[in-house]
Amino acid sequence: MILQNRADIIRNRLQQTFSPTHLEVTDESDQHIGHAGHQGGGRHFSVVIASDCFNGLRRIEAHRRIYDLFIDMIPNQIHALRIKISRHAP
């Protein structure tokens, strides 16, 4: 898998599952050079997402639903996934 495609895969899965009103996916791996996960090829990503799908959910449940989308990519392709959930677009 090409590194650039990981962000696209994350973005596509989130869009298809949650139909977000706002979505940002950022590869932050360069900020973690020297970190053990960076050495193994896993990348660090940040997700900012707003979706009505999260209404009524506790934050931890919303995070679980997001992580479940990437179970096949964690920890080898995605080492860390930082998530910020909003109920509405910023």
Side-chain angles (χ1 to χ4, degrees), residues 35-59:
H35 182 266
H38 190 275
Q39 304 302 323
R43 307 292 287 176
H44 292 75
F45 292 94
S46 170
V47 170
V48 179
I49 185 169
S51 174
D52 290 339
C53 293
F54 302 126
N55 290 344
L57 295 180
R58 294 180 323 196
R59 183 174 48 171

Side-chain angles (χ1 to χ4, degrees), residues 4-45:
Q4 188 67 27
N5 288 340
R6 293 180 198 182
D8 292 336
I9 290 168
I10 293 168
R11 188 176 297 103
N12 290 338
R13 288 185 187 183
L14 291 169
Q15 287 176 336
Q16 290 175 5
T17 304
F18 299 113
S19 300
T21 55
H22 177 79
L23 179 60
E24 297 174 33
V25 177
T26 307
D27 185 342
E28 298 181 335
S29 300
D30 290 344
Q31 298 173 21
H32 299 276
I33 293 173
H35 182 266
H38 190 275
Q39 304 302 323
R43 307 292 287 176
H44 292 75
F45 292 94

